[in-house]
Amino acid sequence: MDQAQIEVRVLGSLSQISAAEWDSCACPEVADGGRPLDPFTTHRFLLALEHSGSVGRETGWQPQYLTAYLDGMLIAVAPMYAKSHSQGEYIFDHNWAHAYEGAGGRYYPKLQIAVPFTPATGRRFLVRPGYDSVGMSALVQGAVQLAADNQVSSVHATFCTEAEAMAGEQMGLMLRQSQQFHWLNDEYQHFDGFLAALSSRKRKNIRKERAQAIDFGGEIRTLTGDDLRPEHWDAFWQFYQDTGSRKWGAPYLTRQFFDIAHETMTDDMALVLAERDGYPIAGALNFIGRETLFGRYWGCTEHHACLHFELCYYRAIDFAIAEGLARVEAGAQGEHKLARGYLPTRTHSLHWVNDPGFADAIKKYLDAEAHAVGEEIEILTDYGPFRKSNPEEQQ
């Protein structure tokens, strides 16, 4: 196809494009009536971030959504933001910023192709089926051109798919590899089937933790769809604020986000609540994809032994098995997840840096980092909780 036929436009708000248009590229798989692969790049999720004030110029996440048209037809979109900081990304480049600014450069603003505050793997270059190569190429070239024209230091696409990472590297972007912990469903029929795959010691430990967790004096429920009520978000907001203030200094999402999500996304969410005497005391919020359950937020107003593990990890596994989902992504960081059946998994991001000398330095850093990540994944996998082939190691 003739690249000259493609027009790339930047939108300052998703209100400038219909949900049907955006989702025709973001989640064309829903045409069969099923779920999107992940809900985070859908029009409804990104618009909820925008309308709730969770993103916007004053937050340091200024929308600059990319759209690409071929002969007037929308063929590709990307959630892109002008960033004045590196918060809420989970692929850390603070040391890059410090190094560049220490050398007299200006690292911010930068362009970020990402889902804000969401370390979940998914497509970042959202292309209409049949236009994969030309669509992604148009978005990449459009982002780089926009950065170059405005003397922006860099472009970053974080938590992209492996296929996008490989394609982006072929286009001249720098590939970065990181790791998370994901649970994989080996066609388990129930939780005990999963436990049977573990070593005896790990199996006993998980059973002990689950018994401790449910001994807090109340009940645990998983709510989705019409079972979710507005008052549940009043409780969860308290949990989210507590966790946000401890981890990030201030919560990324506003209270209004949860109200909007309740109106537009209840079928995309699974809220695990621990209640005692009819009052919620802890909760874990998950988002549901076509193949994956994405664990996102946790918080509590009372602390009880192992309740965090139960709500965030074990109930997520229960839900994934019951719904036939292939995996659970449990968010960023956390080697403690390994003992609970979540294995180290490689994640990917792509980067373009305007300054050639700085780009060369980053490339050398990324090569060394990738080697270290690969070694760490190999070591952690070997220490995983699953039974080994040696019978003596199964005891």
Side-chain angles (χ1 to χ4, degrees):
M1 293 183 184
D2 184 358
Q3 193 71 23
Q5 296 174 305
I6 296 178
E7 178 187 6
V8 176
R9 307 172 192 168
V10 178
L11 306 180
S13 171
L14 271 193
S15 299
Q16 297 173 251
I17 187 171
S18 71
E21 281 187 291
W22 179 273
D23 289 346
S24 69
C25 296
C27 51
E29 64 274 8
V30 303
D32 66 7
R35 296 183 182 277
L37 286 170
D38 75 76
F40 302 120
T41 53
T42 61
H43 191 275
R44 58 184 176 273
F45 183 87
L46 297 171
L47 192 65
L49 291 178
E50 191 180 328
H51 281 179
S52 67
S54 301
V55 301
R57 181 187 296 272
E58 64 282 358
T59 70
W61 288 84
Q62 182 179 352
Q64 300 279 280
Y65 308 108
L66 284 178
T67 61
Y69 292 83
L70 176 63
D71 292 334
M73 181 180 71
L74 183 69
I75 64 165
V77 298
M80 189 170 75
Y81 301 83
K83 292 293 306 295
S84 59
H85 53 68
S86 292
Q87 305 302 316
E89 297 169 10
Y90 301 93
I91 297 293
F92 302 113
D93 63 350
H94 299 90
N95 56 340
W96 301 1
H98 292 157
Y100 195 53
E101 291 175 355
R106 184 185 178 204
Y107 193 72
Y108 304 107
K110 62 177 183 174
L111 294 179
Q112 194 83 19
I113 299 174
V115 178
F117 331 123
T118 307
T121 293
R123 292 165 60 235
R124 296 295 174 260
F125 303 93
L126 309 169
V127 180
R128 184 184 295 273
Y131 297 87
D132 294 353
S133 179
V134 68
M136 180 172 174
S137 178
L139 293 173
V140 169
Q141 291 183 45
V144 168
Q145 190 64 54
L146 184 65
D149 290 347
N150 291 276
Q151 297 182 318
V152 172
S153 71
S154 50
V155 179
H156 312 264
T158 44
F159 293 102
C160 60
T161 66
E162 182 177 9
E164 289 176 324
M166 299 304 104
E169 193 173 29
Q170 291 295 314
M171 295 177 192
L173 303 180
M174 292 183 288
L175 172 63
R176 188 176 191 182
Q177 299 182 44
S178 307
Q179 70 152 9
Q180 290 182 338
F181 292 87
H182 298 172
W183 178 84
L184 303 179
N185 188 353
D186 191 16
E187 299 183 352
Y188 302 119
Q189 299 302 305
H190 40 67
F191 195 90
D192 282 344
F194 157 61
L195 288 181
L198 304 182
S199 68
S200 175
R201 184 167 61 88
K202 297 299 185 183
R203 183 164 59 246
K204 289 177 182 177
N205 184 65
I206 289 176
R207 284 178 173 151
K208 180 180 177 180
E209 288 185 343
R210 298 204 80 176
Q212 286 181 304
I214 63 175
D215 197 34
F216 74 99
E219 65 171 337
I220 300 171
R221 297 189 295 156
T222 299
L223 307 171
T224 189
D226 292 340
D227 291 333
L228 287 165
R229 309 300 305 161
E231 57 267 24
H232 293 139
W233 303 116
D234 291 332
F236 190 76
W237 174 245
Q238 299 301 315
F239 308 149
Y240 176 69
Q241 278 187 302
D242 177 68
T243 301
S245 62
R246 286 186 288 106
K247 284 191 173 183
W248 317 304
Y252 290 133
L253 300 174
T254 66
R255 176 64 182 85
Q256 190 181 9
F257 171 83
F258 297 98
D259 290 334
I260 296 173
H262 181 77
E263 295 299 321
T264 62
M265 300 193 68
T266 52
D267 288 339
D268 298 308
M269 298 185 290
L271 177 62
V272 185
L273 279 183
E275 298 174 321
R276 191 161 56 81
D277 298 327
Y279 293 97
I281 63 162
L285 179 60
N286 306 275
F287 284 80
I288 311 166
R290 176 174 287 231
E291 300 171 351
T292 307
L293 185 69
F294 300 92
R296 290 302 304 116
Y297 303 108
W298 142 268
C300 63
T301 54
E302 294 182 12
H303 296 275
H304 295 273
C306 300
L307 196 58
H308 171 258
F309 300 146
E310 178 67 20
L311 267 61
C312 292
Y313 308 138
Y314 303 142
R315 294 289 168 140
I317 290 173
D318 281 336
F319 188 92
I321 292 173
E323 297 296 322
L325 301 177
R327 66 185 64 84
V328 178
E329 290 195 18
Q333 305 171 322
E335 291 187 6
H336 61 280
K337 299 167 186 171
L338 183 65
R340 290 155 187 97
Y342 291 72
L343 295 178
T345 304
R346 204 178 302 267
T347 60
H348 305 86
S349 59
L350 292 166
H351 307 268
W352 174 87
V353 174
N354 204 349
D355 184 300
F358 189 42
D360 184 60
I362 288 178
K363 180 64 168 63
K364 293 176 181 176
Y365 171 86
L366 293 180
D367 289 343
E369 184 184 49
H371 180 72
V373 167
E375 285 191 337
E376 184 175 17
I377 288 176
E378 185 176 346
I379 292 169
L380 289 173
T381 300
D382 190 56
Y383 277 99
F386 290 88
R387 287 183 293 139
K388 307 297 191 295
S389 57
N390 185 340
E392 293 181 0
E393 293 177 326
Q394 297 180 23
Q395 303 304 315

